[in-house]
Amino acid sequence: MFTLIRLVTLASIAISLVDGKIVPPAAQGQPDANSQVDTTGATTDTDSIVSTASQVDQKAGANTDAPPDLPPNSTSITALDGTLVNTTVEAVATNTTNSRRSLNLAKRLTPGYEQVFAGTGTGPDDRDGSIEGTAYLTYTVVDNSTYSVDKCLEFCDRVDGCVFVNLYYEFNNPLLDFVFSEKSNLKCAAYADVHTAAEKTNRGGQQQEDPPAGLTYIQQSSGYAAKSLVDPDTPEGYELVFGPTNGANNAPGYMGFAFLDRYDVQACADLCNSRGADNQGGGCQYFNIWRAVVNGVPTTYTCSMYYLVADESTAVNFGQGDLHVTQSRGYRRNNVVVDGGFEGYNDCNDFCFTSGYASWKGLGSGVLDATIFHYVIYSHSGHGVGLLGSADASDDLPGTLTPSEPLQTVAGKTYSLQFFLNSDFSGPDLQADAFVEVRVNGNVLDTIHPGYSHWTFHQYTFTAQGNDVLEFHGGKAPAWNFIDDVNIFLA
Ligand SMILES: *[C@@H]1O[C@H](CO)[C@@H](O)[C@H](O)[C@H]1NC(C)=O
Ligand SMILES: *[C@@H]1O[C@H](CO)[C@@H](O)[C@H](O)[C@H]1NC(C)=O
Ligand SMILES: *[C@@H]1O[C@H](CO)[C@@H](O)[C@H](O)[C@H]1NC(C)=O
Ligand SMILES: *[C@@H]1O[C@H](CO)[C@@H](O)[C@H](O)[C@H]1NC(C)=O
């Protein structure tokens, strides 16, 4: 079985070991570089979120010159990592392939509304204001031969995400009076969040029609909110971790935030999916979405992203100054790989290794060519880590690490494979020939030649067939390669 060439190779490895330079992993040798990485990173930058919330203006209503019945615009982003912007989720999350848009803060179980506030009368001196608030969707005009509350509520039923309407008369707007075909000045504006009379800040006052016509003014501005609200749909590829509560996460592994113009859980998931990876911590695995209410008025919708999964225990930021956190929910990204961090291998407290346990197995034609170690020093995070290359330097054959069971993937869906790779154990010269093939169902996604390198993040996308088989194949002792924190997420 062993050829002459093999024996020569083995002999040369043995010599380097006799020299005492390289003690192999199986003998608890120490890596060339103790490249400790900070895998917890920064915690939530609440100050930046609060100060940006004081600058952002997301208030809107039915403009005097907008025609009725426009389709609502898709969710937009008003701030990104502390900078005010004006862009759409689609423009930022360009590489999200599976996402399905669906709104919102909440949706109705059954139709049914209650009045939040009433309007003024219709006397010649009565003056009212229409709502300028967050999460404006669109408006229509309803029959003005009577004060058509029901027609307005029916409109809300038809608009995706609508939970609140503001019904009011707008006078001296020539577009309503003469141009638009409906010939009605009774406006019904739909919102994806509930507003109060304190937000009746549009008092008219525009000269829209030539004098002697007067300035625009508003009367009988009333508001109606949906009575029964349910949880928003959980985005595909995610699960709800907590919420709704009045506490935002203050948690490690923070990757930044975006402000959304409405409470759109799917939009936040899209942003998490497309967030550039942190080179120490990896891809986005968790997000926290919450509504900021300033002095009682909904102001913005924060989407905070993390590469570590958080939970309710750190959702302890209830606000700051006039800003209160409401409707806070946390969602984690489902990892298709069972125990991708090799943390389930616990046969010892400190140092041990195996060629397989419940979640992973190591395969190879030589001796210990693919193994799993329990040893903090070798791991990227936690204490478990996979190793490619003969653990005791018996041979220089590659090994294969693969999950014990096929992946529970959905055929046809696009997935993102993410992991960390280390190639520094034996120093620059001996690591030069290192290689790792990344395979799914036997197809090589990539052959990595990492040379001498510390923990590095790698990411690939693939289309699943269902029951997919993931394999890491490589290692060429003493050019050993460690693999850790393997995640496969819906892309
Ligand atoms: C959508 O956005 C465009 C551009 O900002 C604006 O002109 C239009 O009125 C918006 N649509 C609605 C329904 O508000
Ligand atoms: C955002 O951009 C659109 C299109 O460029 C523009 O119509 C709109 O007025 C902008 N909105 C804000 C708040 O700047
Ligand atoms: C209904 O709206 C039209 C168009 O603005 C206006 O001319 C008319 O006077 C309004 N009718 C009532 C009863 O308010
Ligand atoms: C999506 O695009 C961003 C920015 O271009 C990139 O950093 C990220 O790695 C991409 N994500 C995936 C899953 O391809």
Side-chain angles (χ1 to χ4, degrees):
M1 175 128 186
F2 278 40
T3 64
L4 183 60
I5 293 170
R6 284 226 51 76
L7 287 171
V8 169
T9 315
L10 284 178
S12 71
I13 293 172
I15 288 164
S16 77
L17 292 171
V18 170
D19 279 349
K21 280 186 192 154
I22 306 295
V23 181
Q28 210 173 338
Q30 296 302 294
D32 172 72
N34 207 337
S35 54
Q36 282 300 315
V37 289
D38 175 11
T39 54
T40 58
T43 52
T44 318
D45 187 354
T46 305
D47 288 345
S48 172
I49 295 174
V50 170
S51 75
T52 310
S54 71
Q55 300 164 43
V56 78
D57 179 7
Q58 299 183 186
K59 296 181 192 312
N63 285 339
T64 44
D65 50 3
D69 297 312
L70 289 178
N73 282 324
S74 61
T75 303
S76 67
I77 301 173
T78 59
L80 206 48
D81 301 320
T83 304
L84 297 185
V85 298
N86 174 14
T87 185
T88 62
V89 175
E90 286 81 2
V92 173
T94 46
N95 52 4
T96 59
T97 49
N98 292 313
S99 113
R100 236 182 274 127
R101 307 235 49 84
S102 80
L103 298 176
N104 268 307
L105 178 64
K107 67 183 180 199
R108 286 173 309 284
L109 275 173
T110 51
Y113 297 84
E114 58 199 354
Q115 192 175 58
V116 183
F117 53 84
T120 58
T122 51
D125 297 327
D126 285 324
R127 292 293 180 271
D128 210 341
S130 66
I131 295 292
E132 288 176 304
T134 57
Y136 170 70
L137 296 171
T138 184
Y139 87 98
T140 191
V141 287
V142 290
D143 176 13
N144 69 347
S145 59
T146 176
Y147 192 66
S148 301
V149 175
D150 287 345
K151 289 270 185 332
C152 185
L153 302 182
E154 284 163 20
F155 176 66
C156 191
D157 281 344
R158 290 197 303 272
V159 175
D160 188 20
C162 178
V163 296
F164 172 85
V165 280
N166 178 209
L167 180 66
Y168 58 94
Y169 290 100
E170 184 171 289
F171 293 94
N172 293 331
N173 180 345
L175 293 173
L176 298 178
D177 293 344
F178 309 116
V179 179
F180 299 149
S181 58
E182 295 81 359
K183 297 288 180 288
S184 171
N185 60 359
L186 185 55
K187 280 182 154 180
C188 169
Y191 291 82
D193 202 350
V194 177
H195 296 288
T196 63
E199 296 168 81
K200 286 185 179 183
T201 53
N202 171 27
R203 318 287 305 186
Q206 293 166 282
Q207 187 75 57
Q208 293 284 341
E209 202 171 330
D210 292 335
L215 305 178
T216 58
Y217 67 94
I218 285 158
Q219 287 189 330
Q220 277 204 290
S221 171
S222 60
Y224 305 84
K227 273 186 200 164
S228 38
L229 306 174
V230 294
D231 276 334
D233 291 340
T234 299
E236 198 176 7
Y238 283 82
E239 66 187 69
L240 178 70
V241 176
F242 78 89
T245 72
N246 291 331
N249 283 113
N250 188 18
Y254 178 64
M255 304 178 83
F257 75 95
F259 283 167
L260 301 173
D261 73 347
R262 64 196 79 153
Y263 193 95
D264 187 337
V265 176
Q266 181 66 55
C268 193
D270 289 348
L271 292 177
C272 179
N273 290 356
S274 61
R275 192 81 181 172
D278 180 277
N279 62 3
Q280 307 270 288
C284 182
Q285 300 203 38
Y286 176 89
F287 68 83
N288 177 213
I289 184 169
W290 51 275
R291 175 174 65 171
V293 174
V294 178
N295 292 318
V297 173
T299 299
T300 191
Y301 308 88
T302 303
C303 169
S304 295
M305 292 159 275
Y306 299 83
Y307 59 75
L308 296 176
V309 176
D311 61 27
E312 195 171 356
S313 68
T314 56
V316 294
N317 167 24
F318 302 106
Q320 207 165 297
D322 300 328
L323 184 153
H324 292 279
V325 174
T326 64
Q327 294 283 338
S328 176
R329 289 179 174 88
Y331 294 85
R332 70 175 295 164
R333 222 167 159 186
N334 294 323
N335 184 7
V336 173
V337 180
V338 177
D339 193 19
F342 304 93
E343 300 300 314
Y345 172 53
N346 278 309
D347 282 357
C348 59
N349 291 324
D350 176 36
F351 177 85
C352 51
F353 61 93
T354 179
S355 56
Y357 70 107
S359 304
W360 288 86
K361 55 191 179 188
L363 310 170
S365 54
V367 180
L368 296 173
D369 292 331
T371 45
I372 296 94
F373 275 71
H374 178 117
Y375 192 36
V376 171
I377 301 289
Y378 294 167
S379 71
H380 175 254
S381 69
H383 51 69
V385 62
L387 175 68
L388 294 175
S390 178
D392 63 355
S394 292
D395 59 55
D396 65 355
L397 299 172
T400 303
L401 279 169
T402 186
S404 300
E405 303 290 337
L407 304 169
Q408 295 302 298
T409 41
V410 178
K413 295 280 182 188
T414 305
Y415 288 84
S416 172
L417 163 63
Q418 312 181 354
F419 61 91
F420 281 88
L421 173 66
N422 174 291
S423 186
D424 63 16
F425 190 90
S426 298
D429 294 343
L430 295 176
Q431 290 291 148
D433 288 345
F435 79 99
V436 175
E437 274 179 16
V438 183
R439 301 173 178 165
V440 174
N441 302 323
N443 301 319
V444 178
L445 295 185
D446 191 18
T447 303
I448 307 169
H449 295 282
Y452 176 77
S453 56
H454 306 307
W455 285 112
T456 307
F457 182 71
H458 294 266
Q459 174 167 291
Y460 304 91
T461 53
F462 66 93
T463 303
Q465 297 177 3
N467 291 314
D468 297 78
V469 175
L470 169 69
E471 292 171 307
F472 295 104
H473 176 79
K476 193 175 181 182
W480 283 287
N481 288 115
F482 291 94
I483 307 249
D484 204 356
D485 296 327
V486 183
N487 292 310
I488 296 184
F489 300 124
L490 208 55

